[in-house]
Amino acid sequence: MSPFYLARGASKLVRRITSETSVELKILSDKWRLLLAGLIFQYIHGLAAHGVHYLHRPGPTLQDLGFMILPELGKERGYISETLFTFVFLTFVLWTFHPFILQTKRFYTVLIWRRVLAFLCASQFLRIITFYATQLPGPNYHCREGSPLARLPPPQNAAEVFLINFPTGVIYGCGDLIFSSHMIFTLVFVITYQKYGSIRFCKMLAWCIAVAQSLLIICSRKHYSVDVVVAWYTVNLVVFFVDKKLTELPDRSVGSTSVLPVSARDKDTKLKEENTRLLNGNSMDSADRRPRTQMNGKQIENESHVDSETVKT
């Protein structure tokens, strides 16, 4: 490929990214509140998960059907489930930003993330209530009796709590079991792609990955089976009911731009045009006008309609 075509393609890509960024910023300026609230709640969820670790008391691992059936990956292979989750997370994020690069677009990135954050926050709110209601002894290796991370000493100051002891407090948490946070993210991402994605094979693959993620979480003993099972039906129900309350996303494939915020100048211009049409005695939209044909000095609404007196056999 010649340098000319490479430069031409790069120029088109830059223009596409610039144009899309301008559109998304306009939407963000009008829709930022729910996005900000969703991001703040992610911190609140992390703070709650860290707080329950202070209440955690290690004990014997509970009897679990999944532990009986599925093989144990072991401490040295626990990274497998985390690797798969990281793949799911990154691919979903990249997919939501594809309108900046690809020419075919079905949604606005800002609006899809408002929806995703609404699903996540509703599910995480229920999760916080659940794991604070009952603390189970953690099945993970660092949460078992004898591990120095199984119990947290009382915090020495407020900063220790509010900073969540990052990153150790995030990676080696205990007590926040029912229901699985990994499955919340995975299922919300898969359900969202199921609705707004366009490749059928990827949709089927996404559901298979969600099932594999569930099994790997149990095999790595990061959660009990009940944590995964409850996540499956809770997240699906949450998405079902929250989705009904939210405004449906406009389909960009049909050229819809109704979601873009209208400036005050545009509103005034549109209002003046409407007033002008009313003063001229024509309140119809130009798109609603039907073609008229003049016959015998008369205007008729439809070409197929002809006065019977003008037609002679």
Side-chain angles (χ1 to χ4, degrees):
M1 187 177 292
S2 65
F4 171 76
Y5 286 107
L6 287 175
R8 185 178 179 183
S11 176
K12 286 183 178 179
L13 180 61
V14 170
R15 286 199 303 269
R16 191 175 300 154
I17 293 175
T18 304
S19 174
E20 187 67 23
T21 301
S22 175
V23 172
E24 295 285 353
L25 287 176
K26 287 181 181 178
I27 300 175
L28 182 62
S29 66
D30 189 56
K31 310 285 187 180
W32 61 270
R33 294 173 184 83
L34 185 57
L35 273 173
L36 180 61
L39 293 175
I40 292 174
F41 194 82
Q42 297 309 301
Y43 168 74
I44 294 174
H45 174 255
L47 187 64
H50 180 63
V52 80
H53 196 165
Y54 290 103
L55 305 176
H56 178 255
R57 295 296 176 265
T61 303
L62 302 179
Q63 184 173 341
D64 189 280
L65 184 62
F67 291 178
M68 298 177 186
I69 297 175
L70 298 174
E72 186 173 355
L73 287 177
K75 198 173 184 179
E76 64 281 0
R77 289 190 292 272
Y79 69 90
I80 297 177
S81 64
E82 291 299 326
T83 302
L84 183 60
F85 176 75
T86 304
F87 170 78
V88 171
F89 190 92
L90 292 179
T91 52
F92 181 80
V93 171
L94 291 175
W95 170 72
T96 60
F97 281 90
H98 83 266
F100 286 83
I101 300 175
L102 302 182
Q103 190 170 359
T104 56
K105 316 172 195 294
R106 292 193 61 186
F107 55 79
Y108 296 96
T109 300
V110 170
L111 298 185
I112 201 78
W113 274 106
R114 287 178 80 246
R115 212 172 193 84
V116 167
L117 285 171
F119 299 153
L120 290 175
C121 292
S123 301
Q124 290 166 339
F125 177 75
L126 296 177
R127 181 175 188 260
I128 293 172
I129 295 175
T130 306
F131 64 63
Y132 267 101
T134 303
Q135 289 88 45
L136 302 178
N140 210 337
Y141 303 102
H142 65 268
C143 297
R144 298 178 184 179
E145 193 69 57
S147 171
L149 299 173
R151 295 171 181 259
L152 285 183
Q156 300 299 317
N157 49 61
E160 186 179 335
V161 177
F162 288 105
L163 295 179
I164 321 178
N165 194 21
F166 187 84
T168 305
V170 176
I171 300 173
Y172 296 104
C174 297
D176 56 328
L177 292 174
I178 301 178
F179 42 97
S180 170
S181 180
H182 282 60
M183 289 310 303
I184 290 177
F185 280 90
T186 300
L187 290 171
V188 166
F189 292 168
V190 171
I191 294 170
T192 303
Y193 185 79
Q194 175 69 32
K195 183 172 182 178
Y196 298 106
S198 56
I199 303 175
R200 181 176 297 182
F201 171 76
C202 290
K203 294 180 181 181
M204 297 174 59
L205 180 62
W207 284 110
C208 292
I209 291 176
V211 173
Q213 178 72 55
S214 304
L215 299 177
L216 286 172
I217 288 175
I218 299 173
C219 290
S220 58
R221 304 302 189 253
K222 294 179 179 178
H223 278 278
Y224 292 108
S225 300
V226 65
D227 307 336
V228 175
V229 171
V230 171
W232 268 91
Y233 63 75
T234 302
V235 174
N236 276 279
L237 288 173
V238 166
V239 172
F240 176 78
F241 286 108
V242 174
D243 188 62
K244 285 182 173 293
K245 298 295 183 181
L246 297 176
T247 305
E248 187 53 68
L249 295 184
D251 189 356
R252 297 186 68 180
S253 61
V254 296
S256 174
T257 58
S258 59
V259 71
L260 294 176
V262 181
S263 64
R265 180 181 297 178
D266 292 337
K267 288 181 180 178
D268 292 340
T269 302
K270 189 174 182 181
L271 184 60
K272 289 179 181 178
E273 291 176 354
E274 291 291 337
N275 291 335
T276 302
R277 284 201 296 267
L278 289 172
L279 290 174
N280 292 335
N282 183 9
S283 60
M284 292 190 306
D285 188 20
S286 60
D288 295 333
R289 294 173 181 169
R290 299 187 182 92
R292 293 170 172 80
T293 305
Q294 186 171 1
M295 297 184 64
N296 295 336
K298 299 180 180 179
Q299 295 286 345
I300 63 174
E301 293 292 331
N302 196 322
E303 290 180 352
S304 61
H305 174 74
V306 180
D307 194 313
S308 60
E309 293 182 358
T310 64
V311 180
K312 297 181 180 179
T313 58

